[in-house]
């Protein structure tokens, strides 16, 4: 199986929505109640790419997963932190596609001079928690009854990973300002030929 990681385009919005919709409809992994419209998903991709990476995983020219980064918080002092999100087509779990998406994502964020990355995970979600542990994310806390979906309360946990050199903090480079060579190098880490 050949997996190709690429930067998402607006034309990928329908494929991304097809992956995301079942998570909204049938799980507490996302706290959205209603699946976004195609236009909403297109706007989310566009808005993310103005500052952060948004990646898709392709198998045989089909989008089978995606990951994106977003601000950890809005104040200026938080700019060196980024929250990560990842979703895979249910038929492609257990094939190391998530690992390839995260390898590329972490490499890109490091090139942008991001220092810390965070994951907010509905708890319990053993699969996601173990996945993040394989990338050396550590548990930092639980918000009890943080979300109410499907007529019950759900906890969320936060996990974090340091990817930068805290002794050498440099200005954050917005994703669109990375060179093509930098981006291709980061994506190339995960290209199976």
């Amino acid at each position: 199986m050949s997996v190709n990681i690429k930067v998402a385009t607006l034309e990928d919005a329908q494929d991304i929505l097809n992956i995301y919709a079942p998570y909204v409809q049938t799980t507490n992994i996302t706290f959205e109640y209603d699946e976004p419209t195609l236009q909403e998903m297109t706007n989310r991709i566009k808005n993310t790419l103005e500052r952060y990476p948004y990646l898709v995983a392709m198998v045989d020219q089909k989008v089978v997963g995606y990951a994106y980064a977003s601000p950890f918080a809005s104040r200026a002092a938080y700019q060196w932190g980024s929250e990560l999100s990842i979703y895979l087509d249910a038929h492609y779990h257990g094939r190391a596609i998530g690992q390839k998406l995260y390898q590329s994502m972490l490499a890109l964020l490091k090139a942008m001079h991001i220092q810390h990355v965070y994951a907010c995970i509905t708890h319990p979600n053993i699969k996601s928690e173990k996945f993040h542990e394989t990338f050396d994310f550590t548990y930092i806390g639980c918000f009890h009854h943080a979300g109410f979906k499907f007529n019950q309360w759900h906890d969320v946990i936060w996990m974090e990973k340091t990817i930068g050199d805290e002794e050498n903090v440099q200005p954050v480079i917005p994703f669109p300002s990375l060179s093509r060579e930098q981006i291709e190098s980061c994506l190339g880490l995960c290209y199976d030929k």
Side-chain angles (χ1 to χ4, degrees), residues 61-76:
Q61 304 303 312
K62 176 185 177 186
V63 175
V64 299
Y66 67 97
Y68 61 91
S70 57
F72 172 64
S74 61
R75 301 283 190 251

Side-chain angles (χ1 to χ4, degrees), residues 84 86 96-106 117 128-138 159-163 190:
L84 304 183
I86 184 169
I97 294 168
Q99 287 87 340
K100 294 176 184 200
L101 278 165
Y102 254 39
Q103 287 169 353
S104 289
M105 180 63 70
L106 294 171
V117 289
S128 184
E129 292 170 40
K130 295 282 187 200
F131 171 79
H132 285 88
E133 286 172 2
T134 65
F135 281 92
D136 297 322
F137 279 71
T138 57
M159 298 180 78
E160 71 176 349
K161 175 182 174 73
T162 298
I163 62 172
C190 304

Side-chain angles (χ1 to χ4, degrees), residues 105-141:
M105 180 63 70
L106 294 171
L108 287 166
L109 292 171
K110 190 168 185 168
M112 292 169 56
H113 303 150
I114 296 295
Q115 294 284 321
H116 306 280
V117 289
Y118 303 94
C120 180
I121 303 167
T122 305
H123 180 72
N125 183 341
I126 301 302
K127 192 182 287 187
S128 184
E129 292 170 40
K130 295 282 187 200
F131 171 79
H132 285 88
E133 286 172 2
T134 65
F135 281 92
D136 297 322
F137 279 71
T138 57
Y139 171 89
I140 54 174

